[in-house]
């Protein structure tokens, strides 16, 4: 008999301001996130991964509001920072809320690897040598694995954000073994992206704040609103993923 899958949500790029009435790209990031939550709850998530840029200004109030919005949402919530986040404030508030900073989570027979790619003061990201050597060892186990990182390791075809990638993305991707790593999923790009490279799926979670239409040199607002990515993970390694909107 097939076991029920583990339902995992990836929430990214909330960009909440200190002021809950503040605007991000002329929209309310609080209202947009809240408008998405009913659709996310209907998926009955078993776990959530927040992949950074929670707070536009890195302020305490933004993290505290996210914790209140996600109250009772799900038992397992994990997170990584993005370039807009204040790592120490995020760690303090999310840690107190019981959120998991990884770097490894074990959910539904799957392994989740949470990578911190943030370089202080830099909108681009980089992974450390220690991270890369740890990633090379993942292939020694065939446990199905998802890797989460804020910055994209490859260009997504939109110049406005491709200027700020994971600077050692090629080296990162070369460390991964498709025997265990099924997918790498990132945030940062505010658009939907899917690409296969050497048997590993590279995905983005679009933003819960404001998204851009894909393939534009400048940020060009996507009128279809805030989104998140979902995963269904079966213990034998089968998986599926897609994007969910508020509507
Ligand atoms: Fe970012």
């Amino acid at each position: 008999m097939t076991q029920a899958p583990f339902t995992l949500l990836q929430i990214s790029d909330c960009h909440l301001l200190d002021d809950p009435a503040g605007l991000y790209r002329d929209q309310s990031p609080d209202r947009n996130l809240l408008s998405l939550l009913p659709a996310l709850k209907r998926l009955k998530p078993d776990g959530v991964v927040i992949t950074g840029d929670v707070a536009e200004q890195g302020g305490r109030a933004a993290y505290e509001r996210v914790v209140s919005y996600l109250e009772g949402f799900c038992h397992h919530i994990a997170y990584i920072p993005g370039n807009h986040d204040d790592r120490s404030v995020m760690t303090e508030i999310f840690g107190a809320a019981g959120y998991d900073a990884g770097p490894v989570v074990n959910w539904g027979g799957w392994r989740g690897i949470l990578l911190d790619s943030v370089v202080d003061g830099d909108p681009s990201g980089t992974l450390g040598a220690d991270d890369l050597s740890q990633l090379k060892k993942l292939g020694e186990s065939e446990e199905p694995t998802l890797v989460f990182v804020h910055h994209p390791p490859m260009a997504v075809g939109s110049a406005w954000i491709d200027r700020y990638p994971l600077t050692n993305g090629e080296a990162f991707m070369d460390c991964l073994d498709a025997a265990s790593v099924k997918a790498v999923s990132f945030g940062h790009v505010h658009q939907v992206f899917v690409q296969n490279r050497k048997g590993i799926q590279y995905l983005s979670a679009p933003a819960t704040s404001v998204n851009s239409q894909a393939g534009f040199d400048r940020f060009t607002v996507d009128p279809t609103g805030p989104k998140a990515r979902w995963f269904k993970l079966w213990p034998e390694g089968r998986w599926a993923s897609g994007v969910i909107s508020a509507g």
Side-chain angles (χ1 to χ4, degrees), residues 137-197:
K137 294 178 185 164
L138 291 178
E140 294 169 5
S141 150
E142 291 192 1
E143 189 176 5
T145 300
L146 293 178
V147 177
F148 295 95
V149 59
H150 180 71
H151 294 86
M154 56 188 33
V156 299
S158 299
W160 69 272
I161 196 66
D162 283 336
R163 284 185 290 160
Y164 307 120
L166 187 68
T167 56
N168 53 353
E170 280 291 327
F172 162 64
M173 291 189 288
D174 286 344
C175 289
L176 303 178
D177 186 335
S180 57
V181 178
K182 306 303 177 190
V184 173
S185 199
F186 46 85
H188 191 60
V189 299
H190 293 241
Q191 61 196 271
V192 179
F193 177 83
V194 178
Q195 192 171 111
N196 191 286
R197 180 186 185 272

Side-chain angles (χ1 to χ4, degrees), residues 1 11 41 96 99 105 107 144 152 154-155 161 180 199 203 210 222:
M1 191 177 87
I11 293 174
K41 281 181 185 163
Y99 296 6
V105 291
W107 289 344
M154 56 188 33
I161 196 66
S180 57
L203 310 165
V210 186
D222 176 350

Side-chain angles (χ1 to χ4, degrees), residues 13 15 53 82-84 150-151 188:
D13 296 86
H15 287 272
D53 285 357
N83 48 293
H84 282 270
H150 180 71
H151 294 86
H188 191 60

Side-chain angles (χ1 to χ4, degrees), residues 49-192:
V49 174
I50 301 170
T51 49
D53 285 357
V54 170
E56 170 71 2
Q57 301 148 310
R60 300 183 65 85
Y63 300 103
E64 287 167 348
R65 293 207 305 286
V66 165
V67 170
S68 72
Y69 295 158
L70 297 180
E71 181 86 46
F73 192 78
C74 174
H75 287 306
H76 303 291
I77 301 181
Y79 69 96
I80 49 176
N83 48 293
H84 282 270
D85 289 306
D86 182 314
R87 193 188 278 110
S88 63
V89 174
M90 186 183 213
T91 300
E92 178 195 334
I93 295 171
F94 281 2
Y99 296 6
D100 194 336
V104 180
V105 291
N106 293 286
W107 289 344
W110 281 65
R111 176 171 54 182
I113 306 292
L114 307 174
L115 298 173
D116 181 344
S117 56
V118 173
V119 178
D120 290 339
D122 189 345
S124 301
T126 302
L127 292 172
D130 286 355
D131 287 324
L132 297 186
S133 62
Q134 290 296 321
L135 289 167
K136 282 182 185 158
K137 294 178 185 164
L138 291 178
E140 294 169 5
S141 150
E142 291 192 1
E143 189 176 5
T145 300
L146 293 178
V147 177
F148 295 95
V149 59
H150 180 71
H151 294 86
M154 56 188 33
V156 299
S158 299
W160 69 272
I161 196 66
D162 283 336
R163 284 185 290 160
Y164 307 120
L166 187 68
T167 56
N168 53 353
E170 280 291 327
F172 162 64
M173 291 189 288
D174 286 344
C175 289
L176 303 178
D177 186 335
S180 57
V181 178
K182 306 303 177 190
V184 173
S185 199
F186 46 85
H188 191 60
V189 299
H190 293 241
Q191 61 196 271
V192 179

